[in-house]
Amino acid sequence: MEIVHDFPYPIREIENLFIPMRDGKRLAARVWLPDTPDATPFPAIMEYIPYRKRDVTRGRDAGNHPYLAGHGYACVRVDMRGSGDSDGVLTDEYTQQEQQDAVDAIAWLAEQPWCNGNVGMMGISWGGFNSLQVAAKQPPALKAIISLCSSDDLYADNMHYMGGCLLGDNLSEATVMFAFNALPPDPAMVGERWREMWFERMEHSGLWIDQWLRHQRRDAYWSTSSVGENYAAIQCPVYAIGGWADGFTNTVLRLMEHLEVPRKGLIGPWGHKYPHQGIPGPAIGFLQEALRWWDYWLKDKDNGIMDEPMLRAWQQDSVPPDNSYADRPGRWLSEPQWPSPQISEQCYYLQPNRLTVEPLPETHTPPTLGLQSPISVGMSAGKWCSYAATPDLPGDQREEDGGSLVFSSLPLDVPLDIFGMPILTLTLSSDQPQAMLAVRLSDVAPDGKATRVTYGLLNLTHRESDAEPSLLEPGKQYCVQIPMNGIAQRFPKGHQLRISLSTSYWPLAWLSPAPAQVNITLDNCKLHLPVRTAADDDSTFAFEPPEAAPPLAVTTLVPSQHNWLLHRDLATKKSTLEVINDQGCFRINETGTEIHRSAREYYSTVTDDFTSARGETITESHFKRDDWDTEVYTRTVLTCTNSHFIVHAQLDAYEKAYRVFSKNWASKIPRDHL
């Protein structure tokens, strides 16, 4: 990363100002302005998230916003209602209140003397989600957005459910927000009100996992804020960006296909990170690319960005399996439109132990293969959404394949390139009314090592509809399709393609209510591959190298620690995956605030007891400066029976080592075809 110190404009920073909302509440914002003698107004760029501008995201903001401000933009980092130093209480994600507040904030920004009336929105994850959602509200001053690592479908492509299966990240994300919602505002920003605001948040923000578990099928709770329900509502230009190691990449492909406005897409090898910090690499000069986008749409500079391909994606080369990568070798692909005319479907047919280019002869009776996987299949799955902060990518798939049905091709005679979303068609039956399938596409090297390329999940009760699931009739045959996540991948000559099927994928996905045997009848079962045949790509294309403004000055007091540990107790038959995400402790030099944040997650099962599935998360958050000294501890436990999910949670808050708040939650939620 190259650190840039000199910019076209000097920068003036406003540590905090309050943006009034229509109901009298105020949102706290930090602002970076180009400092000109004649007070020239500039376009504004707003980032709007709940992750605390004053401290937690201060380091990331230091690299991004001054860089853009130094190139002639008023950059505004806003704490959402109920977060950071803003008024109110945050009661859920992506609410209509959140979006209305953003519309109000954009209108206010456009009227400021330092803004010329043109506003853009930019953000990653939550900020990418609400950039799309606010664009669909069509605020007049919003001229363009950059949405990174986001989703257009809050049910099917979010951190909660996938293919109708409950994701382990549902508990993980609920834990993140449980901790954030209980943090106090900074007294230096809000004054003596800080304690009253803190207690109001802890009392009323609620337990979000309880809400999310009460909506196990696609309903209005999810669809109301899903822009995929009405792409035409978005009327401003969109730059959509994702990474293959991230959980939200499919959105980029859908937006390129369905939006009708000027748009660009970019997919790299990265996890859940801004691309100039992208891991796995190569990282790119994202801030320079963002400037080209903003210059075109907010300053009317014809710099040619819209004459370039609609979609660029990093095609990954084959690599040995590993739980983390510094870089993924490959090349940039360019597509002038999506879907691409350079991609066609190629089918591989499932035969016993084999993937073949020819179907089973019609004169043969299709064989039936039974499958009932051990619970342990999934321990090498990695995280649904990789943050690249821990070894959270999928490892060698051979151990997983031992509990799966496996279908492998012959070694390839020539390299094979795919780009898009593979789909598996199956004919199957189950001996239980509820069951799930996980499908994995792997790259198998000549030495036998298997690297997962992509995967998909399907709760078989959702085979026809996520909105109206229906139980299976035991013994009855069904034809189902399982889409896999989009990917651009090269399979080298001599390697094999492998499809692996399992009836469990714990803890990436919650287990079915009971063990089920799924019988696969190899009648027209096939893998649909999006094969790319273009040979005329510009192999010399490269983005500029990463740049950022000077980093935040901090003093490390305790180093961070990140790891995934697998514990197997052979005496009790208990297996536990422990995820450590300890941010350590550091002091922000310019404010004097000391911060310690850590989270631990535990996912356990006992032998083949599907009702033994248990997830437990524990967080610690400590903020300290002078006589301001607060600590927050949360604990959430999710267990189940074959008919219910059971949630227990607790929150304890301390001021100067004295407990000042404590609250417990307990709920029992019926399982709905899950």
Side-chain angles (χ1 to χ4, degrees):
M1 176 82 74
E2 181 179 348
I3 302 304
V4 179
H5 296 271
D6 297 319
F7 297 102
Y9 295 91
I11 303 164
R12 175 170 65 93
E13 180 183 332
I14 302 173
E15 177 67 23
N16 187 74
L17 58 75
F18 288 107
I19 301 175
M21 300 290 101
R22 65 184 63 188
D23 64 354
K25 299 293 186 182
R26 302 184 304 169
L27 303 187
R30 190 178 177 205
V31 182
W32 296 261
L33 299 173
D35 194 6
T36 59
D38 57 356
T40 303
F42 291 91
I45 301 170
M46 182 176 82
E47 184 178 13
Y48 175 63
I49 51 177
Y51 302 126
R52 302 178 62 89
K53 64 173 177 57
R54 174 72 170 165
D55 36 55
V56 175
T57 66
R58 195 178 188 92
R60 189 176 77 186
D61 294 344
N64 292 356
H65 293 297
Y67 186 98
L68 298 174
H71 286 87
Y73 290 91
C75 291
V76 185
R77 188 24 205 100
V78 182
D79 282 340
M80 285 167 33
R81 180 185 296 244
S83 71
D85 301 316
S86 292
D87 292 346
V89 176
L90 189 60
T91 58
D92 203 353
E93 56 184 10
Y94 318 130
T95 64
Q96 294 301 301
Q97 179 69 67
E98 171 190 331
Q99 295 164 42
Q100 187 61 67
D101 285 351
V103 170
D104 289 352
I106 289 169
W108 185 87
L109 292 177
E111 295 173 352
Q112 299 313 297
W114 35 261
C115 178
N116 68 4
N118 292 333
V119 180
M121 277 188 80
M122 181 180 84
I124 186 171
S125 194
W126 198 316
F129 277 73
N130 61 33
S131 292
L132 289 170
Q133 293 156 359
V134 174
K137 298 290 186 183
Q138 301 178 15
L142 184 63
K143 306 303 183 184
I145 66 171
I146 301 178
S147 176
L148 302 98
C149 301
S150 65
S151 181
D152 57 341
D153 189 330
L154 300 189
Y155 180 78
D157 244 338
N158 199 349
M159 303 182 83
H160 308 298
Y161 299 92
M162 179 181 182
C165 299
L166 175 66
L167 292 170
D169 272 38
N170 188 71
L171 173 59
S172 180
E173 174 67 5
T175 296
V176 168
M177 294 316 301
F178 192 22
F180 264 103
N181 293 338
L183 298 180
D186 192 317
M189 300 294 100
V190 303
E192 292 300 319
R193 297 175 56 230
W194 78 269
R195 191 178 289 104
E196 175 188 346
M197 294 170 67
W198 184 28
F199 277 63
E200 182 186 20
R201 293 176 184 182
M202 292 189 290
E203 184 63 46
H204 297 296
S205 62
L207 189 68
W208 292 11
I209 190 172
D210 183 278
Q211 300 182 66
W212 298 343
L213 285 174
R214 294 185 187 277
H215 297 274
Q216 296 168 37
R217 60 177 72 186
R218 181 191 293 277
D219 57 17
Y221 179 81
W222 305 108
S223 62
T224 298
S225 292
S226 293
V227 299
E229 297 288 325
N230 181 15
Y231 290 108
I234 296 178
Q235 292 292 302
C236 70
V238 174
Y239 203 153
I241 300 174
W244 296 129
D246 185 62
F248 299 103
T249 315
N250 299 331
T251 297
V252 178
L253 301 179
R254 287 196 297 266
L255 291 175
M256 295 306 100
E257 179 176 1
H258 296 295
L259 288 179
E260 299 176 358
V261 295
R263 57 201 182 276
K264 288 184 69 69
L266 171 62
I267 306 174
W270 320 297
H272 205 65
K273 296 278 189 180
Y274 272 105
H276 59 302
Q277 303 168 323
I279 302 173
I284 66 167
F286 163 72
L287 292 174
Q288 300 98 300
E289 182 73 359
L291 278 174
R292 296 178 68 228
W293 176 260
W294 297 129
D295 284 351
Y296 187 92
W297 291 109
L298 301 186
K299 292 184 176 179
D300 296 323
K301 292 184 178 180
D302 190 2
N303 53 23
I305 190 170
M306 297 310 296
D307 298 326
E308 297 169 4
M310 174 190 286
L311 175 63
R312 291 198 193 273
W314 185 254
Q315 182 187 61
Q316 301 181 146
D317 283 336
S318 177
V319 292
D322 204 341
N323 299 109
S324 63
Y325 298 96
D327 290 284
R328 289 296 303 260
R331 65 202 54 78
W332 288 108
L333 304 180
S334 299
E335 296 290 354
Q337 65 186 77
W338 192 264
S340 168
Q342 304 181 103
I343 296 171
S344 60
E345 181 180 287
Q346 179 175 329
C347 288
Y348 280 81
Y349 295 87
L350 276 61
Q351 297 191 24
N353 306 317
R354 288 294 181 191
L355 280 177
T356 67
V357 293
E358 298 293 337
L360 194 72
E362 293 183 3
T363 56
H364 287 61
T365 300
T368 297
L369 306 177
L371 171 64
Q372 184 173 317
S373 302
I375 290 176
S376 59
V377 174
M379 284 294 186
S380 292
K383 192 171 175 62
W384 180 85
C385 181
S386 170
Y387 285 85
T390 56
D392 60 3
L393 295 174
D396 195 325
Q397 298 296 291
R398 286 178 291 182
E399 185 174 351
E400 308 275 70
D401 287 345
S404 309
L405 282 180
V406 174
F407 305 87
S408 300
S409 73
L410 293 173
L412 296 170
D413 293 329
V414 295
L416 177 68
D417 294 341
I418 66 171
F419 183 14
M421 300 177 68
I423 299 172
L424 187 66
T425 297
L426 295 174
T427 301
L428 56 78
S429 64
S430 170
D431 68 349
Q432 297 292 325
Q434 297 189 61
M436 68 160 287
L437 278 178
V439 54
R440 309 186 302 280
L441 173 62
S442 296
D443 168 19
V444 183
D447 63 3
K449 293 177 182 176
T451 302
R452 197 187 77 189
V453 171
T454 184
Y455 74 102
L457 304 175
L458 180 62
N459 175 348
L460 293 177
T461 69
H462 285 241
R463 64 196 176 275
E464 296 176 348
S465 170
D466 287 326
E468 298 293 338
S470 58
L471 296 176
L472 299 162
E473 180 181 331
K476 180 179 177 180
Q477 282 199 338
Y478 300 90
C479 182
V480 304
Q481 286 199 326
I482 307 176
M484 287 172 260
N485 288 332
I487 193 67
Q489 180 76 27
R490 170 163 290 178
F491 293 84
K493 177 182 177 180
H495 284 222
Q496 296 170 275
L497 282 71
R498 176 174 293 167
I499 284 291
S500 307
L501 295 171
S502 62
T503 55
S504 60
Y505 213 41
W506 169 264
L508 189 146
W510 202 268
L511 298 169
S512 300
Q517 176 163 312
V518 175
N519 296 310
I520 310 295
T521 299
L522 301 181
D523 180 14
N524 203 34
C525 294
K526 55 188 173 182
L527 169 66
H528 310 259
L529 278 183
V531 174
R532 190 174 190 272
T533 56
D536 56 352
D537 281 310
D538 181 4
S539 60
T540 63
F541 173 81
F543 287 96
E544 294 184 46
E547 292 183 354
L552 180 69
V554 300
T555 300
T556 300
L557 304 176
V558 178
S560 62
Q561 180 187 6
H562 306 280
N563 208 349
W564 284 41
L565 303 172
L566 181 57
H567 309 279
R568 283 179 173 164
D569 188 327
L570 299 183
T572 65
K573 315 300 183 187
K574 183 177 182 179
S575 296
T576 303
L577 175 65
E578 177 184 6
V579 179
I580 303 169
N581 185 11
D582 188 336
Q583 305 294 324
C585 184
F586 62 93
R587 180 188 303 112
I588 300 174
N589 294 351
E590 61 186 346
T591 66
T593 305
E594 294 182 9
I595 302 171
H596 167 63
R597 297 171 57 236
S598 73
R600 288 182 180 257
E601 304 174 33
Y602 303 89
Y603 301 93
S604 63
T605 55
V606 178
T607 58
D608 60 352
D609 181 1
F610 277 49
T611 61
S612 69
R614 184 180 192 274
E616 178 180 2
T617 59
I618 299 169
T619 73
E620 303 176 14
S621 306
H622 190 182
F623 290 73
K624 180 180 180 182
R625 185 185 62 248
D626 301 327
D627 63 347
W628 181 50
D629 188 352
T630 64
E631 298 172 81
V632 173
Y633 298 85
T634 74
R635 177 174 178 262
T636 308
V637 178
L638 176 62
T639 58
C640 66
T641 66
N642 58 12
S643 60
H644 288 79
F645 291 110
I646 301 167
V647 181
H648 292 278
Q650 63 192 64
L651 166 64
D652 291 284
Y654 293 78
E655 185 180 354
K656 298 179 180 178
Y658 288 93
R659 187 165 64 178
V660 294
F661 185 91
S662 183
K663 189 171 183 176
N664 297 288
W665 290 261
S667 55
K668 189 175 183 180
I669 302 165
R671 299 177 71 150
D672 180 8
H673 294 78
L674 184 60

